[in-house]
Amino acid sequence: MKIGIIKERKNPPDKRVVLCPNQVKKALDRYKDLTIKIERSDIRVFSDQQYEACGFELSDDMSDCDLLLGVKEIPVDALIPNKTYVFFSHTIKKQEHNRELLKACIEKNITLMDHETFVDGKNTRIIGFGRYAGIVGAYNTLRGFGLKYELFNLAKAETLLHKEDLIFRLKKQFFPPIKIVLTGQGKVAKGVMEILDGMKMKKVSVEHFLTQKYDRPVYTQIGVTDYYKRIDGTEGSKQDFYDNPELYTSDFEKFSQVADILMTGHFHKTGSPVILTKEMLNSPKNQIKLIGDISCDVDQGPIESTLRASTIAEPFYGYHPRQGEEVEFDHPAAITVMAIDNLPTELPKDASEGFGEVFVEEIMPAFFNGDKDQVLKRATIVKDKKLTERFDYLQDYVDGKE
């Protein structure tokens, strides 16, 4: 098998890579019938020279590769017909802007797998950049707090190399006794907690968060049973919510009345109710002043102040709760919003090394063991010029009917 590590072509540029030089070496040492070619790139966080120094093949022609690995979406005109690709296609939620990409994969007889669709037998995701989204998102949110109140001006995360650099800078700053509420319990939320715990912020129970005052910054972590409740007033459960989201409504207002900052690390399934509404934010009892929407679901998303994704260049904007409109992030009446949708790009070295380690250990074996655990089969969206059975719900999307 010949694997090609392709150049990232999406704009704005993404410096991440699936396999860094050390992981390429590890894979080649482990699989004797494997060869790996690196497409030349002038933006990758690991330079061409770093790969060449390890003796790896570099080229501008990837047409002889069996499997092509990338991070972000690939422009349609750069897709090589009759190949197998793995990248984040951002199509499985019927994202409108990538409809043509999915159609092109079908028309060009491309076998498409998506990093997001690599799941185990329990349908749990195997690989992703969620941890690094949480790490960078937490840093950016706290950086925004310093800017909003003119307390400090931290360096942008993209100018730093490692998580430890972020924590070092945060620990040097003074924070008043703010309360932070964190939604979610997955990899994104754990990444956020790596930052908060690293800077020695105190974690408190939900009950104490809602009822106690503190003389130092604190945070609490909440799950679906904390911020949703059943409409009929009966007791709900996590599994019941997953099975019947339409029977639930938001119960987040008790948090918006006491929290200064919201950081989101939840997964929001299509059809689930809103978490933070415009009415909550416009209430005279609202205390939230800054929202780090790390999950960043824009279209019909659960955080109604997220009017659009922000960018690494311009990470913050303001949400005017009375008008329901965007204003400058430092507007006196604004709730400041950080909603960057490609956060791991700001820490490309750490993110690439962590991602590649999981790819080599958890995904790559499936290409050499006959896919005995059906990891590849479950991840395949397109094969033989049609959607696979697992993803045939996307047919109307492909046909332009949705």
Side-chain angles (χ1 to χ4, degrees), residues 1-205:
M1 170 181 277
K2 189 164 193 172
I3 292 178
I5 308 298
I6 59 176
K7 174 182 177 178
E8 295 298 318
R9 291 175 166 83
K10 189 171 182 182
N11 200 35
D14 195 310
K15 297 181 179 180
R16 290 174 293 172
V17 65
V18 176
L19 299 179
C20 68
N22 285 342
Q23 289 149 356
V24 172
K25 184 179 185 304
K26 181 184 288 188
L28 291 172
D29 289 344
R30 186 172 295 179
Y31 304 107
K32 300 307 178 185
D33 57 346
L34 171 66
T35 56
I36 296 179
K37 180 194 281 191
I38 317 298
E39 186 173 13
R40 290 188 179 91
S41 169
D42 56 355
I43 61 169
R44 192 180 288 132
V45 66
F46 298 96
S47 68
D48 291 350
Q49 290 73 25
Q50 287 176 282
Y51 286 97
E52 281 184 315
C54 297
F56 305 140
E57 179 186 2
L58 273 83
S59 176
D60 295 316
D61 180 8
M62 308 300 281
S63 60
D64 61 339
C65 296
D66 305 300
L67 172 66
L68 295 162
L69 298 180
V71 178
K72 300 292 283 185
E73 301 100 311
I74 298 169
V76 168
D77 59 4
L79 291 168
I80 304 172
N82 308 312
K83 297 293 182 183
T84 297
Y85 277 89
V86 181
F87 57 90
F88 284 103
S89 69
H90 298 292
T91 57
I92 63 172
K93 292 184 180 179
K94 302 183 179 181
Q95 291 94 323
E96 179 61 34
H97 59 287
N98 286 327
R99 185 198 308 269
E100 294 305 314
L101 172 61
L102 188 55
K103 288 175 64 176
C105 288
I106 294 171
E107 292 164 2
K108 296 189 177 192
N109 192 32
I110 286 168
T111 297
L112 173 63
M113 301 180 203
D114 192 311
H115 297 299
E116 193 173 355
T117 60
F118 284 121
V119 296
D120 62 20
K122 297 180 180 179
N123 208 38
T124 301
R125 277 188 66 178
I126 298 173
I127 191 170
F129 285 102
R131 176 193 171 206
Y132 296 94
I135 288 170
V136 178
Y139 177 85
N140 282 356
T141 304
L142 295 173
R143 177 175 178 265
F145 182 83
L147 292 173
K148 180 180 179 71
Y149 293 105
E150 300 181 345
L151 295 173
F152 48 81
N153 188 354
L154 291 171
K156 281 192 169 186
E158 64 176 332
T159 66
L160 308 174
L161 281 178
H162 304 291
K163 176 189 77 173
E164 289 72 23
D165 298 327
L166 310 185
I167 292 172
F168 174 77
R169 281 160 176 77
L170 286 168
K171 287 175 73 173
K172 291 171 66 176
Q173 312 308 321
F174 170 77
F175 287 88
I178 54 175
K179 285 184 169 183
I180 299 174
V181 58
L182 166 64
T183 61
Q185 297 170 322
K187 291 183 174 65
V188 175
K190 289 175 181 176
V192 171
M193 289 193 292
E194 284 186 56
I195 292 292
L196 300 181
D197 294 342
M199 58 186 288
K200 307 302 182 185
M201 189 174 291
K202 181 179 178 64
K203 184 179 183 182
V204 300
S205 69

